[in-house]
Amino acid sequence: MAGMWAWSMPAQAAVAPPGSKDFNRLHAPDGRHIELDATTEFDRVPSPARVPFARFIETFDVSHGMWSPQRGIPRRLYGAGVKVAHAVDDANIALEFATSVVLGHLDLLAPGTTPADFELVANEVHNGVRSVGWQQTYRGVPVLGGQVSARFKGEHLNMVASEALPNVTLSNAGPSLPSETLVERARRSLVSDYGDDVTVREGAGDLAILPVSGADGRISFHQVVEVVLDVPSPTTRWSVYVESSTGAVIGRRQVLMFGEAPVRLRVPVRGTYGERMDTPARRLAIQPSGGTVGYSSPQGFFTVEGGGETVNLYATGQKVRITNEAGAPATDTRFVSTSSLNVWDESTVEFEDAQLSTYAHASIVDDLAASLDPDLPWIHTELLQANVNIDDICNAFSDGDTINFFRADETCENTGRLADVVYHEYGHSLHRQSLIPGVGSFEGALSEGYADFLAATITSDPGMGRGFFYSSEALRELDPVGYEWHWPEDTGEVHDEGRIIGGTLWDLRTQLSIEYGVTEGRELTNALFYDATRRASDIPTMYPEILVSDDDDGDLSNGTPNICLINSVFGAHGLFALDASFELPSILPSNGEDVEISIALDNPYPDCPVSLEGTLRYRLRGSTEAPTEVAMQSSPEGLLGAFPSQPANTVLNYQLEVAFSNGSTSTYPLNQQDPWYEVYFGEVTPIYCTTFTGDAVSEWTMTGTGGTVGWNIGTPTGAGGDPNGGFDDNFAMGTNLEGSYTPGYSGVATSPEINISGYDAVRLQYRRWLGVEDGFYDDARILVDGVTTVWRNVSGSDPYSGLHHRDSEWRFHDVDLSDFISSGTVNVGFALSSDFGLEYEGWTVDDLCIVGVGDVGSLCGNGVVESGETCDDGNTIPGDGCDAFCQEEDGNDDGNDDSNDDSNDDSNDDGGTGGTGDSGYAEGPLDLEGRGCGCHATPTAPRGMLWSALLVFGAAVGRRRRRSP
């Protein structure tokens, strides 16, 4: 291919211009945000990745991972990794080993690709970390944003990363339209918003593949060209992506990101509202009378003849070039003396003062950047271009190369006179220029936080942008009193979202300064943040990249020197989370006693002691009242809480929120569409139960159309999001137990006809593992008699809601069927219908029971074998071959464990349907939990169900589910 195609680097600034939002993010022509990776999950392997991940960890020691649920790939995998001698020092050793690990595991890192789809773009060492990166292509055309990479430190390959786009297929492929046609289509797409003043800055570029995330989460791919257009008022610049074969405008990205930000020869310390300082005129252009132009030293000194001479001073220099958009450059002719300070002061003239202030503060931040990276050519060999006094107001921007500042008006200061703004805009350019190709990525919100923190670490003030409104008011507070910006609650517009990582880095600086002293703590933070942002691709990936930077032995499995402090700081902002586990039976007695729940902490970092607090919330199912909240108490196991027992035939909803002392929180269950667990109170009588073994295969009717694989009974394989095995054994019923359901499928699994007459209430109780798209697209239902819907997945209010139902564990589900008692019999059906888009794991059902509540009337003991009965001898006396519930007894079992029993030891009987000697109860009704059914016939010995959320590299699971390493 002819050269690599790169994203146009957005111009960044402090805030968005009036009337605009979500800058630096890709939008559809209708304004919708269409970027990828709305969510990122820690240590939770997507089902399609489980098999290739298992192969990967055979050779790479993984401690933790960050995953993209949308792409189904690991964004970061890190730990002890693999020991590789001399890889940091020897580029060939590193490349050979990284190639075998990264390109040898593309089934995990980039499904649907081959090694030929990746072009090596980086093999570099920075601060002791060697990064090797490849850019993704498709049929020789670059895939925008697609990349895979590896990190070496010490003697270890300790991190592998992927931003690859799996399974690329073009929506429209064909010959390209003429360039002038594509350019005009791009221009016309902006004219309706901005008028005819739209001008073309750069014509149609090379072909590229643009991935687009739809509102439903599905990714489509388009072969596009980029056209860059300028809008004079309001000052904006757009990259418009036009499909090459159709001319359709697929998306556009605003690449001048603006900001209202305060900025500082004699120049403002922060802004013109406050004090001024005399700062060295570093490398300033100076022309002695009759001589040639030279430059002052980095400390602001220059040589004069004798004790002084007349010179011309220019507001530009050796490393920073100032262009005055309002006219001639600022100059000053004066006699300079070796015995005086020789201060150039233009504080009363806006346009001249803006030039001096921009120059002074750009030199300050440029010197800091040079100390952070002694090797970056952009800092050390290129001239920084700063354009000042642009004919616009209340803003400033960076386009990745230049920094640009607007004039003052009655509401806001000239941004070239504001120190924070100069530092901020420089930060955007530094971020763009320092990214390692094929390794890091430019992301708008991350860059906003980067630029805010850069300003804050220079001023030692978390209040960024003071002076913009002619006052000490901060434009953005990185450390607001009583609150921490938190992921994902505070995501949204990029400047606001950037406060999350900006605030995190500020807190890291604060804590490291306490740990090591102010100077060393500040310098360590600056080094960690700069190094990590070279390799990070967005805000969440900053956490693992900070670990790589902090590590001292190449082995991330044993932590880093500051792991406890880093976890605490990032956890407080939602960028790191610990795990907790708890257990509770799903059917409980209604005996008036409080029900206890205990929570245990799972801390993978034993050297970092962490305490936890918990809140238990509960309410009656269906209630619209606010839930009752109970603070959990410390216990030897972790936390202990209780909610009161409920009347019989009551369903309670509950949640658990766990707050860790490192600042992180987790709320269970992890399902945005069904965020409440259920628990049933009361004694029930089984009418029909199945664990989907034996007769269930013939009893259940399964029909379907439109798909290659539909309903079946067997062993779930874990593929496509399914569980690994059934709830309590290997068997379950589901829609395609070997992966996701197929597009355009419609099918139903229907139970046999079941007699439910004679009970006060009847309920369906079962275990569910359901993954289905938002009900706007795909429909999952429970039907009675094939007609009446008694439950269905939630449908969002519009096509863009994306409210998908994703169980991550076996969930107990209770459905009231009492309205159908009068009909005498029912059958229950599980139905699924899908559109032709996004597919998940579908239904997986196990341990299903239809149970009765109250008096069964004359059904059992009437001498007629009816539904749910295996015998009826005309009485309800056990010990005569037919027990009190009309179930055949096991041989000659008389209910006592004695010498007259059958050959089975009833004390261990796990499958009997007979007398009171069966395991699970004593002298009471049949315990179906002992048989593996999802319901409890008696509360005396309930079998608990364990939920453990966010297990290391595995979703939360029910008991007996195999854990990933």
Side-chain angles (χ1 to χ4, degrees):
M1 56 181 289
M4 294 305 292
W5 204 103
W7 289 100
S8 288
M9 287 296 115
Q12 297 269 148
V15 297
S20 58
K21 65 177 184 177
D22 287 344
F23 280 70
N24 280 348
R25 290 178 171 166
L26 193 65
H27 288 261
D30 62 7
R32 287 186 297 108
H33 169 57
I34 53 176
E35 294 258 8
L36 308 177
D37 292 325
T39 58
T40 298
E41 296 176 344
F42 275 98
D43 295 348
R44 192 174 178 189
V45 183
S47 293
R50 288 174 183 164
V51 172
F53 177 66
R55 186 174 71 87
F56 181 79
I57 61 178
E58 290 176 357
T59 55
F60 190 102
D61 186 353
V62 172
S63 297
H64 297 285
M66 176 183 290
W67 295 82
S68 166
Q70 183 183 32
R71 305 193 205 192
I73 60 172
R75 305 191 66 194
R76 298 294 188 276
L77 294 174
Y78 53 96
V82 188
K83 191 168 184 179
V84 188
H86 309 300
V88 173
D89 299 326
D90 192 316
N92 292 327
I93 291 176
L95 178 59
E96 181 179 357
F97 208 88
T99 300
S100 66
V101 172
V102 175
L103 301 190
H105 289 274
L106 292 178
D107 56 341
L108 172 67
L109 301 173
T113 68
T114 69
D117 294 324
F118 290 88
E119 180 170 333
L120 181 69
V121 291
N123 188 354
E124 307 171 5
V125 177
H126 302 278
N127 295 325
V129 178
R130 179 174 291 279
S131 301
V132 182
W134 291 265
Q135 181 173 341
Q136 183 180 357
T137 67
Y138 175 74
R139 296 178 179 174
V141 178
V143 177
L144 296 181
Q147 58 190 35
V148 293
S149 57
R151 327 269 187 270
F152 294 88
K153 189 169 185 178
E155 295 287 301
H156 291 261
L157 168 58
N158 61 8
M159 181 177 289
V160 172
S162 176
E163 272 81 40
L165 280 304
N167 304 310
V168 177
T169 55
L170 291 181
S171 298
N172 285 289
S176 294
L177 297 175
S179 294
E180 55 270 22
T181 300
L182 299 176
V183 170
E184 181 58 23
R185 296 278 178 89
R187 198 188 76 85
R188 284 209 309 262
S189 72
L190 295 183
V191 166
S192 60
D193 292 333
Y194 298 103
D196 282 330
D197 288 338
V198 176
T199 59
V200 178
R201 184 179 184 88
E202 298 176 18
D206 294 334
L207 292 176
I209 307 299
L210 177 69
V212 172
S213 177
D216 58 0
R218 288 172 287 191
I219 301 174
S220 60
F221 299 92
H222 307 266
Q223 185 165 278
V224 299
V225 297
E226 178 190 26
V227 180
V228 182
L229 303 117
D230 280 337
V231 177
S233 181
T235 304
T236 50
R237 183 177 302 159
W238 290 92
S239 281
V240 179
Y241 300 98
V242 187
E243 194 161 52
S244 61
S245 61
T246 67
V249 174
I250 303 302
R252 66 188 189 187
R253 182 189 302 272
Q254 211 292 93
V255 296
L256 295 183
M257 291 205 58
F258 292 81
E260 303 167 349
V263 71
R264 303 176 194 177
L265 16 326
R266 179 163 290 171
V267 296
V269 174
R270 300 287 290 280
T272 56
Y273 74 96
E275 297 179 354
R276 286 181 172 259
M277 65 181 182
D278 295 340
T279 186
R282 300 171 176 86
R283 307 175 186 86
L284 190 72
I286 299 171
Q287 183 182 30
S289 179
T292 58
V293 175
Y295 302 97
S296 63
S297 73
Q299 294 76 36
F301 294 97
F302 49 89
T303 302
V304 295
E305 292 186 5
E309 64 179 308
T310 300
V311 298
N312 296 319
L313 305 179
Y314 302 94
T316 193
Q318 191 175 25
K319 291 194 66 181
V320 179
R321 180 171 58 198
I322 301 292
T323 297
N324 178 23
E325 297 287 345
T331 62
D332 184 56
T333 301
R334 63 172 57 229
F335 180 82
V336 294
S337 169
T338 58
S339 60
S340 64
L341 292 177
N342 307 307
V343 177
W344 187 3
D345 183 0
E346 300 284 2
S347 56
T348 61
V349 185
E350 176 193 342
F351 290 168
E352 279 73 6
D353 192 39
Q355 294 175 68
L356 295 191
S357 182
T358 298
Y359 182 85
H361 291 295
S363 298
I364 290 171
V365 66
D366 192 66
D367 283 352
L368 172 63
S371 70
L372 293 173
D373 195 337
D375 302 317
L376 187 64
W378 181 77
I379 299 174
H380 298 278
T381 63
E382 296 186 24
L383 196 64
L384 173 66
Q385 175 65 46
N387 302 311
V388 185
N389 301 320
I390 296 171
D391 190 12
D392 209 332
I393 58 171
C394 298
N395 239 318
F397 68 85
S398 160
D399 62 9
D401 292 302
T402 67
I403 55 177
N404 304 266
F405 305 95
F406 293 179
R407 303 176 183 183
D409 74 348
E410 64 277 6
T411 61
C412 50
E413 180 59 274
N414 184 308
T415 50
R417 303 172 89 180
L418 302 173
D420 296 24
V421 172
V422 174
Y423 303 151
H424 181 100
E425 302 311 333
Y426 184 98
H428 287 309
S429 293
L430 179 61
H431 184 199
R432 183 258 184 181
Q433 297 289 343
S434 63
L435 286 169
I436 302 173
V439 177
S441 298
F442 190 92
E443 194 273 329
L446 172 59
S447 194
E448 291 299 340
Y450 178 113
D452 277 358
F453 175 73
L454 185 64
T457 197
I458 294 174
T459 64
S460 294
D461 178 8
M464 184 271 172
R466 302 192 194 278
F468 181 77
F469 298 113
Y470 299 104
S471 72
S472 61
E473 175 188 357
L475 188 61
R476 279 189 296 278
E477 281 284 354
L478 298 186
D479 192 26
V481 176
Y483 187 78
E484 302 289 6
W485 304 116
H486 200 269
W487 184 279
E489 292 86 347
D490 294 314
T491 57
E493 195 276 326
V494 289
H495 301 87
D496 293 339
E497 186 174 315
R499 296 176 301 186
I500 301 172
I501 189 61
T504 303
L505 293 168
W506 177 260
D507 289 349
L508 183 64
R509 181 186 191 266
T510 300
Q511 294 303 315
L512 288 174
S513 296
I514 294 173
E515 182 76 14
Y516 297 105
V518 173
T519 300
E520 187 176 348
R522 179 185 67 240
E523 291 177 353
L524 176 58
T525 306
N526 291 347
L528 292 176
F529 121 83
Y530 176 77
D531 192 46
T533 47
R534 303 196 71 178
R535 301 184 305 269
S537 52
D538 56 13
I539 289 175
T541 57
M542 277 292 288
Y543 168 74
E545 296 296 352
I546 284 277
L547 295 185
V548 171
S549 299
D550 187 52
D551 182 55
D552 60 353
D553 64 358
D555 183 355
L556 289 176
S557 67
N558 61 11
T560 71
N562 298 290
I563 185 71
C564 300
L565 188 150
I566 292 170
N567 286 351
S568 177
V569 168
F570 276 76
H573 292 269
L575 298 174
F576 168 77
L578 288 172
D579 183 25
S581 60
F582 61 95
E583 56 183 302
L584 179 73
S586 295
I587 299 181
L588 297 169
S590 53
N591 56 7
E593 296 181 2
D594 288 354
V595 179
E596 294 184 343
I597 298 179
S598 62
I599 300 177
L601 175 65
D602 181 9
N603 183 5
Y605 301 102
D607 293 334
C608 304
V610 176
S611 60
L612 61 160
E613 297 177 352
T615 300
L616 171 63
R617 301 189 189 97
Y618 62 87
R619 66 185 180 191
L620 291 176
R621 187 173 70 180
S623 172
T624 58
E625 297 182 1
T628 299
E629 292 195 350
V630 177
M632 305 185 77
Q633 306 299 316
S634 295
S635 72
E637 293 76 23
L639 291 174
L640 186 65
F643 48 68
S645 178
Q646 302 295 314
N649 204 30
T650 296
V651 178
L652 206 65
N653 285 146
Y654 70 97
Q655 287 179 332
L656 288 164
E657 181 179 283
V658 182
F660 305 95
S661 60
N662 67 3
S664 61
T665 60
S666 295
T667 301
Y668 310 107
L670 302 168
N671 185 337
Q672 63 171 340
Q673 194 181 97
D674 188 8
W676 294 88
Y677 291 120
E678 293 184 352
V679 60
Y680 175 83
F681 289 83
E683 193 169 323
V684 296
T685 301
I687 301 172
Y688 170 83
C689 291
T690 180
T691 57
F692 296 101
T693 57
D695 293 341
V697 177
S698 59
E699 289 176 346
W700 284 71
T701 303
M702 302 178 192
T703 59
T705 60
T708 56
V709 181
W711 282 95
N712 55 81
I713 292 175
T715 301
T717 63
D722 285 328
N724 289 315
F727 167 66
D728 199 41
D729 55 28
N730 288 329
F731 294 96
M733 180 180 72
T735 47
N736 188 11
L737 297 174
E738 296 183 353
S740 304
Y741 52 88
T742 52
Y745 173 73
S746 179
V748 61
T750 306
S751 74
E753 202 76 14
I754 301 162
N755 189 333
I756 61 171
S757 60
Y759 290 93
D760 296 331
V762 174
R763 316 191 74 89
L764 166 66
Q765 296 178 337
Y766 72 105
R767 305 287 177 175
R768 177 198 77 205
W769 191 309
L770 173 64
V772 66
E773 194 179 4
D774 188 304
F776 194 92
Y777 299 98
D778 291 354
D779 195 15
R781 296 177 186 255
I782 299 177
L783 305 174
V784 171
D785 297 331
V787 176
T788 305
T789 298
V790 291
W791 182 89
R792 68 158 299 193
N793 63 309
V794 176
S795 176
S797 58
D798 60 71
Y800 312 128
S801 63
L803 194 63
H804 309 316
H805 184 116
R806 301 300 307 277
D807 288 336
S808 57
E809 60 199 311
W810 281 107
R811 295 282 294 273
F812 172 79
H813 189 197
D814 172 281
V815 181
D816 192 353
L817 303 182
S818 300
D819 289 344
F820 303 94
I821 293 175
S822 60
S823 65
T825 62
V826 295
N827 62 48
V828 174
F830 293 86
L832 176 67
S833 60
S834 67
D835 67 0
F836 288 89
L838 185 63
E839 292 82 41
Y840 290 118
E841 57 265 41
W843 281 108
T844 311
V845 177
D846 203 359
D847 280 25
L848 179 145
C849 276
I850 294 177
V851 299
V853 180
D855 188 7
V856 71
S858 60
L859 286 178
C860 182
N862 64 1
V864 179
V865 177
E866 294 159 306
S867 177
E869 300 176 348
T870 61
C871 63
D872 194 325
D873 58 1
N875 64 66
T876 56
I877 301 172
D880 58 0
C882 189
D883 70 9
F885 297 94
C886 292
Q887 305 295 315
E888 291 182 356
E889 294 180 318
D890 191 4
N892 296 317
D893 193 338
D894 58 5
N896 299 311
D897 186 10
D898 56 28
S899 59
N900 294 322
D901 288 350
D902 58 28
S903 59
N904 295 317
D905 179 1
D906 285 349
S907 64
N908 295 315
D909 191 346
D910 62 353
T913 58
T916 56
D918 274 356
S919 169
Y921 68 98
E923 300 299 325
L926 175 66
D927 178 8
L928 289 165
E929 278 295 340
R931 293 166 46 200
C933 181
C935 51
H936 295 251
T938 175
T940 57
R943 186 194 59 192
M945 175 179 178
L946 171 66
W947 288 280
S948 178
L950 294 178
L951 294 172
V952 177
F953 293 108
V957 296
R959 78 170 202 167
R960 286 202 189 176
R961 180 164 180 255
R962 296 184 295 275
R963 297 190 181 201
S964 298

